[in-house]
Amino acid sequence: MAAKSEQTRQHLVHVALRMFREIGFEKTTMRGIAAEAGVSVGNAYYYFASKDDLVQELYVQVQAEHAAKADEALEGLKDLGSRLKATLHAGLDVMAPYHRFGADFVATAIRPTSPVNPFAGESTAAREASLGIFRTAVAGASPPAPKKLRADLPELLWLGYMGIALFWVYDTSEGQRRTRKLVDGAVPLIARGLSLAKIPGVNKVLDDVLSLSRSIRN
Amino acid sequence: MAAKSEQTRQHLVHVALRMFREIGFEKTTMRGIAAEAGVSVGNAYYYFASKDDLVQELYVQVQAEHAAKADEALEGLKDLGSRLKATLHAGLDVMAPYHRFGADFVATAIRPTSPVNPFAGESTAAREASLGIFRTAVAGASPPAPKKLRADLPELLWLGYMGIALFWVYDTSEGQRRTRKLVDGAVPLIARGLSLAKIPGVNKVLDDVLSLSRSIRN
DNA sequence: CACGAGTTTTGAACACGTTCAATTCCTGGT
DNA sequence: ACCAGGAATTGAACGTGTTCAAAACTCGTG
């Protein structure tokens, strides 16, 4: 059976992610992972081209958990504010065990060569998956978001989420209490901000912001 | 004379920064720097505790050049829009030679342990110096910025500048043309956005945004 | 000039991520 | 039962950032 190979691979991921959680990214060595998994260093590299590739594995897992948890939490929530709040908190919940490792994760992900980098290639799988979560949150909202913004809102919120994640990384308050407060405080303001889009003066500036954003993307 | 020691130090910085520019951060090795400077590896470590510390040196230099160039460009500019635009372009000018190295620089700087990290400790010297440039741009503007925002505007603009720098890192267009376009397009929008602060509805939301931002900082 | 207490400099050594030629294991076809 | 060829596994080796005990140098003081 070809399952033997997959089993080794999964075991390596499992060991690596546990070590990441327990002792952090830098202290987790490839030799350590291999030893703990009972294989040779070379064999670990047979499955993962680099240590960063194991971070990719972490990213995929966190992403999937976030999507699942968000979907569940969205059940029955109608207004955009509640939906957004639920989505953001679900993300923080999933990331929590990796907080001490968060900074190294960000430092790794931000390299243009990293397969995890969300800003690099237009359509990285990672970015699309994450975006999808916010698309769901926006699409199912009633009352719906302003028509003008509906197309760009998920991307905008996702960008905001990246900002929140960055804040979270540097948030040393216990349980990252401050980040939770930021989410709870910011979400209602975003919802109220959106309703301002109808005011003529604001509307005009908004139009220009959107058109600039589109022209920059080429 | 104690100048001998300082001379070695300066020479190391000079060699390191040149190599950073020419072959990038990763390809520049400590052994390479030491060899090029005509000293031993250990001696390089006598002056700089780590390779990251050399990045700190780069940061200081870029910062100082930015401040100088911005001050010069601000001469005679009155309205906030022009001043902001000049400040931002001055920053891009100074960073230009390091573009290919930018991503590694960001990845290094973003670590909480890095002496360069602008988000970590409240008052890192690096952050304060950078903030000062934007304080100057705002303080000298006439007509002045809305009173309500005046205190927080420099920090906000600085944050925007961090965002622009991140965009710049991933901007592969020749000469980072797209980042220039972004600056030129965004600055007038910011100026117009500021004038909306007077509209009652907007004003209220703005108040809440500012008070949230203050409460989060603790 | 000679001494000694810094300061500066050296290069070998360590642990790390990564590579790769060689070896072992597995599996399907005869 | 055997074999061939691919898949999986090994561990030594390379270049890296970093450390450190030892050596070399500097310079004021006797």
Side-chain angles (χ1 to χ4, degrees):
Chain A
M1 46 175 152
K4 173 70 188 311
S5 173
E6 187 57 23
Q7 197 174 318
T8 307
R9 194 195 143 89
Q10 289 303 330
H11 187 45
L12 276 168
V13 172
H14 184 255
V15 167
L17 264 55
R18 178 166 54 72
M19 291 182 79
F20 283 164
R21 267 194 307 270
E22 290 176 359
I23 64 176
F25 179 69
E26 308 222 293
K27 283 191 187 162
T28 301
T29 71
M30 290 302 281
R31 285 170 177 80
I33 295 171
E36 194 83 8
V39 303
S40 69
V41 211
N43 200 18
Y45 275 93
Y46 178 76
Y47 289 101
F48 302 97
S50 69
K51 196 180 172 186
D52 287 5
D53 272 37
L54 283 163
V55 171
Q56 157 85 340
E57 217 62 31
L58 164 60
Y59 195 84
V60 167
Q61 186 157 320
V62 164
Q63 204 78 301
E65 270 186 64
H66 185 186
K69 194 153 190 165
D71 267 354
E72 188 186 347
L74 247 38
E75 201 77 37
L77 295 182
K78 286 293 173 190
D79 69 297
L80 183 59
S82 311
R83 293 176 68 83
L84 187 52
K85 201 183 278 193
T87 301
L88 293 173
H89 279 300
L92 292 178
D93 289 345
V94 173
M95 296 195 301
Y98 299 97
H99 182 257
R100 74 151 100 181
F101 161 59
D104 293 310
F105 175 55
V106 169
T108 299
I110 213 158
R111 296 204 132 81
T113 60
S114 166
V116 190
N117 186 307
F119 301 119
E122 264 315 300
S123 61
T124 60
R127 183 164 165 279
E128 281 309 307
S130 187
L131 252 174
I133 300 176
F134 287 94
R135 266 197 265 271
T136 304
V138 171
S142 75
K147 191 181 292 179
K148 182 168 294 179
L149 272 169
R150 217 167 303 160
D152 296 276
L153 198 51
E155 199 148 12
L156 219 61
L157 294 174
W158 172 81
L159 203 59
Y161 179 55
M162 293 294 107
I164 290 172
L166 197 59
F167 185 91
W168 174 83
V169 162
Y170 297 112
D171 181 359
T172 54
S173 64
E174 38 159 344
Q176 287 67 249
R177 184 174 23 83
R178 286 168 66 210
T179 307
R180 301 288 184 167
K181 263 175 73 178
L182 172 62
V183 168
D184 290 339
V187 166
L189 290 180
I190 291 171
R192 274 170 61 199
L194 287 179
S195 70
L196 296 179
K198 291 186 210 101
I199 301 175
V202 178
N203 194 292
K204 243 178 186 166
V205 174
L206 185 58
D207 272 346
D208 290 349
V209 169
L210 291 177
S211 103
L212 171 64
S213 137
R214 284 184 192 117
S215 91
I216 290 295
R217 289 184 222 179
N218 277 2
Chain B
M1 45 175 151
K4 173 71 186 310
S5 173
E6 186 58 22
Q7 197 173 319
T8 307
R9 193 196 145 89
Q10 288 303 329
H11 187 45
L12 276 167
V13 172
H14 185 255
V15 167
L17 264 55
R18 179 166 54 72
M19 292 182 78
F20 283 164
R21 267 194 309 269
E22 290 176 0
I23 64 177
F25 180 69
E26 307 221 295
K27 283 191 187 164
T28 301
T29 70
M30 290 301 281
R31 283 170 179 79
I33 295 171
E36 194 83 6
V39 302
S40 68
V41 212
N43 200 17
Y45 275 94
Y46 178 75
Y47 289 101
F48 302 96
S50 68
K51 196 179 171 187
D52 287 5
D53 272 37
L54 282 165
V55 171
Q56 157 85 340
E57 216 63 31
L58 163 61
Y59 195 85
V60 167
Q61 187 158 318
V62 165
Q63 204 78 301
E65 270 186 64
H66 185 188
K69 193 153 191 165
D71 267 354
E72 187 187 347
L74 247 37
E75 201 78 37
L77 296 182
K78 286 293 176 192
D79 69 296
L80 184 59
S82 311
R83 293 175 69 83
L84 187 52
K85 203 183 276 194
T87 302
L88 293 173
H89 279 300
L92 292 177
D93 289 344
V94 172
M95 297 195 299
Y98 298 98
H99 182 257
R100 73 153 101 184
F101 160 59
D104 293 310
F105 175 55
V106 169
T108 299
I110 213 159
R111 296 205 133 81
T113 60
S114 165
V116 190
N117 186 307
F119 301 118
E122 263 316 301
S123 60
T124 60
R127 182 163 165 279
E128 281 308 309
S130 187
L131 252 173
I133 299 176
F134 288 93
R135 267 197 264 272
T136 304
V138 171
S142 74
K147 190 181 293 180
K148 182 168 294 179
L149 273 171
R150 217 168 302 162
D152 295 276
L153 198 52
E155 198 148 14
L156 219 60
L157 294 174
W158 172 83
L159 203 60
Y161 179 55
M162 293 294 106
I164 290 171
L166 197 59
F167 185 92
W168 174 84
V169 162
Y170 297 113
D171 182 0
T172 54
S173 64
E174 40 160 344
Q176 289 67 249
R177 184 175 24 82
R178 287 168 65 210
T179 307
R180 301 288 184 169
K181 263 174 73 178
L182 173 61
V183 168
D184 290 339
V187 166
L189 290 180
I190 291 171
R192 274 169 60 200
L194 287 180
S195 69
L196 297 178
K198 290 187 211 101
I199 301 176
V202 179
N203 194 292
K204 242 177 186 169
V205 174
L206 184 59
D207 273 346
D208 290 349
V209 169
L210 291 177
S211 103
L212 172 64
S213 136
R214 285 185 190 116
S215 92
I216 290 296
R217 290 184 221 179
N218 279 3

